[in-house]
């Protein structure tokens, strides 16, 4: 474990990413302390630019504090991003692994099932699902997860398909290792880096998808999220740039941090690569 | 005609040479023939056949292709269109319209009394429920000659003429519809009317092009060669299109209220907010009286008093439209200016809620009411968020639910809501556009009926009196009485008399002349060089 | 793969694909009908005034009064004869509506896709070659910026710069309307309109390809067969091109296949911001209006295209990576 941490810490970017991520988490948890009032309260004149009337990041179209919105929104947005990504990863990785490793009928069935979800334009499917289950935070997360897992399954399947015929897998099979331990111990670690790249992008995608849904009036209207802030800032962008820029920066920093962390993890888990990187740096 | 002069005055101060556009003709700007008017239509209409579809955008574009017998001034006085003149018999039962002689449809066939009778008694009653309700009052429809139509009613009906605007009863060609399914007839795809512009091209999702009809009955008109309606779904793109001159005009909900101040400030643009008198849309908090708390008149009164309508009009709609004072919009006939909702007073609201027995719990919440957000654009979401914060001040927890357009229509129609937002056209007369929301005979599982389920025999009786009375005076008395009762009982909690900005390049002359504004035929619109 | 196996393989796959598409059609049918509301209630809501008789009339005319399974049977029968039905709302055949809109979408997403793959793979390969150095970090940050920035923001900024300030490009639409531009003169006109939306959409996807290419190239570069090639003294440039890039393209192709559905389906956001008359908005508006036949038609067309794309990507795998057997 210590070895792992040491390898992780060797990547400077990954350390910076971890710090940013911790800051964002601290903001999410500390929001009720920093901004004790509801982020929905109309506390200033509408469309106040940053800095005026005690609004650090300006006020929105109803005179609500954008800074309070970002702090309070962090919790729900991170939750939406994390939960939907975890669900999508769980479904996508297991189905992709089964399909790629077993091949044959299992592969066929899984791929046809995946195709069903891929054939419907994802945004329309998300709206349809949210409309069917009425918009609440649960149905939004569910809809996002449903439209996000197929790419994971396909990428994992492709990796497995290619890895299972490699020498080290064949060697493991000859040695009589169980299928599960081959999949988890030998193939999966080697397929991790595209999965990690994908998943950090998926978190961003989830937050943006939530914003598109809430812009269409299909978010959970009782919860403050970054997506809501960006969505509501969209049409007034010429009037109040701060309403979409600051939440946008928050999303960007979070995604950047996740990506850096993901890369650090991938390096730490894949020492061969990390050595190469170390040599290059 | 009242007009919005703020933007204009700013411009004239800067450049005294510029003339007031509305006075252009009076001051001798000769209409110039030629040019194409580019404008925007949003959302895209499904079809352009009035009757088969009566959504706002359909009426705006198809109002150039079709015409009614008469049209209406901003004060809602009838003016001749396809009918040169009309008269009402002494028993107030028979309306006789004298039609113009030289009117042709776009396919070259002459328009005659046959087409009018077909439109009034067959076409519109079949496809449009509103026309069916009114035109079923017709006992006899006769054509003494090819250019005279006599409609005899079963009983006098004072607002009858209001139903002959193009938006309510466009005259359609009998020979293209008779004997067919009106909704699926080929003419629905290539609409043929008598208007100054004929349908030329429609690339869905892209644009609709109308062309000058050379055989139009007004000699020398229309002035424009063509009108192009671009389909631009995003509000910021629409604003940009106007700013960059890619379109010359926007109307209805094209430009968001919060963008209107910036448009007013541009010297080359002019902003009007009139031209909606015939429709006079009124917005309100739709309340379902089947919810116990909302059945209590004190709770509805409290909600009404907890809302600052001036804030809504100024801060959310940026002064486009004004606070509602009673159930009949001030631009509609029979609005009684003396009957007014009590003003914003959260303390009075709290007292009313106390009186209704709704006490605050430990969190300060007296009751929780669900609220279905109107999915017709972001501004309605903002409105609902404002209402939630306002009602929270008096201890009502408004729990917002969001939905998409398809689900909204279904849930309102099925009475599956507690509160929502709605806005409804008044069609110039309370019998046509107001009565339907309050009379108990119209409690139906359909949107825009009395979905709230309000029922008061006295109100029913007064609306009936106003509907059947022969003179405007009798009707006025009944409507004043009903306004007093409704303002007392607030069956729906009225918010705003809505208006929509028409914004256009100053080159465009006469875009807003009538009480139907941009729905007019545009045979008199021209572009200065 | 042995070329002589190809026809049999194709035949089996096509037969299977047809069954898959049919299953998808049935699933879509139920999914769409599960959403609350129907076309009649939407039309009634938009007609300003309606009564129960009017709604009943519409339902009967649209065939919505029949049992759901009967409606399904009628629809499936139609699809089998390639009849996608009729939009009662717009009074037009569904196939006509879709064919009208499909070219615009294919043009936009195709251009964006080529741009995204071209630039993405190049940047990814560059970054992988300079791993850990400033160029790598710069490319990473750049790619992430475009990915994490809301698409409407990028779109609007591009419009402000190129349409409003520089006045080089039109801000919306697919062609100049009104001016008589016909024949070949259309090409530069459409290209001018295409540039901003394709760039907006392409920048978003570019990030994915750049990240994927970089990640897999680093992985492949470390594998035994590459080491062997190096040990054999194959020049570095050739190693990268022939061995590393070629293998690293696998996930990229996978992802491109995945995006096929989205490419056909169009991007609602970009089509909205740029008023691009594509199929994404058609589907979106059909969904809001509960125009069932149109929505099902769009879903049908996209599913057919995706199944075809998947077939092609599977073949591509076999060509690029000879060790992958074509599974039948």
């Amino acid at each position: 474990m210590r070895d792992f941490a040491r390898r992780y810490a060797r990547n400077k970017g990954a350390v910076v990413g971890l710090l940013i991520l911790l800051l964002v988490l601290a903001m999410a948890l500390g929001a009720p302390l920093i901004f004790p009032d509801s982020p929905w309260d109309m506390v200033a004149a509408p469309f106040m630019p940053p800095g005026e009337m005690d609004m650090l990041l300006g006020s929105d179209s109803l005179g609500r504090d954008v800074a309070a919105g970002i702090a309070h929104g962090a919790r729900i947005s991170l939750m939406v991003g994390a939960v939907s990504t975890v669900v999508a990863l769980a479904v996508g990785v297991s189905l992709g692994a089964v399909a790629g490793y077993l091949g044959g009928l299992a592969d066929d069935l899984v791929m046809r099932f995946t195709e069903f979800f891929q054939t419907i334009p994802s945004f329309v499917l998300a709206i349809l699902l949210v409309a069917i289950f009425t918009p609440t935070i649960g149905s939004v997360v569910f809809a996002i997860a449903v439209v996000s897992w197929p790419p994971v399954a396909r990428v994992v399947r492709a990796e497995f398909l290619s890895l299972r015929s490699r020498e080290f897998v064949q060697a493991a099979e000859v040695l009589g290792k169980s299928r599960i331990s081959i999949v988890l111990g030998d193939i999966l670690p080697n397929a991790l880096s595209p999965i990690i790249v994908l998943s950090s992008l998926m978190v961003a995608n989830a937050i943006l998808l939530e914003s598109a849904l809430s812009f269409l009036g299909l978010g959970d209207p009782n919860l403050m999220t970054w997506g809501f802030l960006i969505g509501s800032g969209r049409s007034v962008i010429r009037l109040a740039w701060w309403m979409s820029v600051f939440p946008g920066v928050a999303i960007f920093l979070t995604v950047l941090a996740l990506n850096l962390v993901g890369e650090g993890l991938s390096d730490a888990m894949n020492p061969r690569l990390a050595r190469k990187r170390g040599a290059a740096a | 005609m009242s007009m919005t002069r703020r933007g204009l005055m700013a411009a004239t101060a800067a450049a005294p040479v510029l003339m007031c556009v509305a006075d252009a003709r009076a001051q001798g700007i000769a209409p110039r023939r030629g040019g194409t008017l580019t404008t925007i239509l949003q959302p895209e209409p499904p079809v352009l056949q009035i009757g088969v579809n009566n959504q706002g955008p359909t009426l705006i574009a198809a109002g150039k292709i079709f015409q009614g017998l008469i049209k209406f001034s901003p004060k809602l006085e009838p003016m001749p269109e396809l009918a040169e003149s009309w008269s009402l018999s002494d028993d107030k039962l028979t309306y006789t319209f004298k039609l113009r002689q030289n009117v042709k449809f776009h396919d070259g066939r002459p328009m005659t009394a046959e087409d009018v009778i077909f439109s009034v008694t067959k076409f519109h009653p079949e496809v449009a429920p509103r026309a069916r309700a009114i035109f079923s009052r017709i006992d006899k429809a006769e054509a003494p000659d090819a250019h005279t139509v006599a409609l005899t009613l079963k009983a006098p009906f004072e607002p009858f003429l209001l139903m002959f605007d193009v938006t309510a009863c466009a005259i359609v060609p009998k020979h293209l519809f008779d004997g067919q399914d009106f909704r699926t007839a080929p003419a629905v795809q290539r609409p043929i009317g008598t208007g100054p512009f004929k349908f030329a091209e429609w690339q869905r999702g892209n644009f609709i092009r109308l062309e000058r009809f050379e055989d139009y009955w007004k000699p020398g008109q229309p002035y424009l060669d063509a009108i192009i309606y671009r389909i631009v779904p995003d509000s910021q793109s629409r604003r940009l299109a106007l700013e960059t001159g890619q379109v010359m005009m926007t109307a209805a909900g094209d430009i968001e209220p919060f963008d209107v101040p910036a448009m007013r400030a541009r010297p080359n643009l002019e902003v009007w907010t009139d031209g909606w008198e015939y429709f006079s849309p009124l917005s309100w908090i739709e309340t379902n009286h089947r919810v116990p708390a909302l059945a209590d008149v004190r709770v509805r009164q409290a909600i009404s008093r907890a809302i600052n309508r001036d804030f809504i009009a100024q801060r959310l709609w940026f002064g486009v439209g004004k606070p509602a004072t009673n159930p009949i919009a001030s631009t509609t006939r029979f609005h009684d200016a003396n009957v007014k909702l009590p003003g914003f007073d959260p303390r009075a609201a709290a007292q009313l809620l106390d009186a209704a027995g709704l006490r605050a719990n430990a969190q300060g919440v007296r009751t929780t009411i669900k609220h279905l957000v109107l999915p017709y654009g972001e501004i309605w979401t903002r409105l609902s968020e404002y209402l939630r914060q306002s009602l929270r001040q008096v201890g009502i927890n408004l729990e917002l639910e969001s939905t998409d357009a398809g689900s909204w229509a279904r849930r309102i129609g099925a009475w599956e809501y507690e509160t929502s937002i709605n806005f409804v056209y008044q069609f110039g007369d309370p019998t046509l556009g107001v009565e339907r929301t309050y009379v108990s005979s119209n409690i139906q599982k359909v949107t825009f009926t009395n979905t709230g389920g309000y029922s008061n025999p006295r109100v029913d009786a007064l609306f009936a009196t106003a509907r059947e009375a022969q003179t405007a005076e009798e009707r006025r008395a009944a409507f004043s009485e009903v306004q007093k009762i409704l303002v007392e009982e607030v069956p729906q909690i009225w918010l705003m008399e809505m208006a929509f900005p028409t914004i256009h390049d100053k080159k465009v002359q006469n875009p807003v002349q009538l009480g139907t504004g941009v729905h007019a035929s545009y045979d008199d619109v021209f572009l200065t060089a | 793969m042995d070329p002589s196996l190809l026809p049999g393989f194709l035949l089996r796959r096509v037969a299977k694909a047809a069954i898959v598409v049919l299953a998808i059609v049935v699933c879509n049918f139920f999914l769409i009908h599960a959403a609350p509301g129907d076309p009649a209630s939407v039309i009634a809501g938009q007609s300003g005034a309606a009564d129960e008789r009017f709604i009943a009339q519409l339902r009967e005319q649209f065939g919505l009064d029949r049992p759901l399974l009967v409606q399904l049977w009628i629809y499936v029968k139609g699809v089998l004869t390639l009849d996608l039905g009729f939009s009662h709302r717009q009074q037009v055949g569904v196939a006509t509506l879709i064919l009208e809109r499909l070219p615009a979408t294919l043009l936009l997403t195709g251009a964006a896709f080529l741009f995204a793959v071209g630039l993405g793979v190049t940047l990814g390969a560059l970054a992988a070659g300079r791993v850990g150095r400033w160029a790598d970090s710069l490319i990473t940050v750049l790619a992430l910026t475009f990915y994490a920035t809301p698409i409407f923001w990028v779109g609007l900024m591009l419009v402000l710069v190129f349409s409003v300030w520089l006045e080089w490009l039109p801000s919306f639409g697919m062609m100049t309307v009104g001016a008589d531009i016909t024949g070949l003169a259309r090409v530069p006109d459409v290209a001018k309109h295409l540039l901003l939306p394709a760039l907006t959409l392409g920048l978003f996807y570019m990030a994915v390809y750049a990240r994927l290419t970089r990640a897999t190239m680093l992985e492949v570069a470390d594998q035994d067969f590459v080491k062997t090639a190096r040990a054999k003294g194959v020049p570095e440039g050739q190693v990268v091109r022939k061995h590393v890039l070629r293998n690293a393209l696998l996930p990229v192709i996978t992802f491109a296949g995945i995006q096929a559905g989205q490419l056909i389906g169009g991007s609602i956001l970009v089509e909205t911001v740029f008023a691009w008359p594509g199929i994404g908005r058609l589907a979106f508006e059909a969904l809001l209006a509960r125009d069932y036949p149109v929505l099902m038609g769009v879903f049908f067309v996209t599913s057919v295209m995706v199944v075809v794309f998947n077939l092609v990507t599977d073949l591509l795998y076999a060509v690029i990576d000879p060790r992958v057997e074509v599974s039948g």
Side-chain angles (χ1 to χ4, degrees), chain A residues 90-119 149-158 160-161, chain C residues 13 16 20 24 310 314 327:
Chain A
V91 178
V93 169
S94 19
L95 288 181
V98 167
Y101 184 71
L102 293 182
L105 184 66
D107 181 26
D108 228 23
L109 284 177
V110 170
M111 280 303 102
R112 299 301 86 82
F113 183 65
T114 313
E115 265 168 17
F116 170 70
F117 287 92
Q118 278 178 255
T119 58
W149 72 263
V152 183
R154 301 269 308 191
V155 167
V156 170
R157 170 187 177 260
F160 270 60
L161 213 55
Chain C
R13 278 301 301 263
K16 239 185 237 178
V20 169
I24 290 174
N310 284 347
D314 276 5
S327 57

Side-chain angles (χ1 to χ4, degrees), chain A residues 74-95:
Chain A
R75 198 168 11 168
I76 308 290
S77 287
L78 289 181
M79 198 274 281
V80 168
V83 175
S84 61
T85 302
V86 166
V87 173
L89 280 180
V91 178
V93 169
S94 19
L95 288 181

Side-chain angles (χ1 to χ4, degrees), chain C residues 221-244:
Chain C
D222 215 37
Q223 271 163 10
D224 298 338
F225 68 93
V226 178
K227 284 183 182 153
T228 315
R230 283 215 179 90
K232 277 197 292 191
V234 179
E236 184 62 22
Q238 208 177 334
V239 171
V240 170
R241 251 176 302 148
K242 274 211 161 161
H243 297 271
V244 181

Side-chain angles (χ1 to χ4, degrees), chain A residues 38 40-42 46-47 61-62 64 131 135 215 217-219 221-222 228 231-232 234-239, chain B residues 234-236 239-240 243 258 311 315-316 318 378 382 385-386 388-389 398-404 407:
Chain A
S38 158
W40 298 103
D41 282 350
M42 299 172 282
F47 298 128
S61 47
L62 283 179
R64 296 175 294 213
F215 177 75
L218 288 172
N222 298 300
F228 166 84
S232 69
R234 172 186 145 138
S235 50
V236 289
I237 194 166
R238 304 273 305 276
L239 212 63
Chain B
D234 181 61
S235 72
Q236 288 306 290
R239 173 181 161 169
L240 275 167
E243 285 175 319
F258 47 73
F311 182 95
R315 292 288 174 77
L316 280 168
F318 285 78
E378 219 199 326
R382 294 292 93 74
E385 286 161 12
Y386 166 76
R388 173 177 59 194
Q389 297 313 110
L398 202 65
E399 199 180 286
L400 305 192
E401 301 173 272
S402 43
T403 171
D404 73 314
S407 311

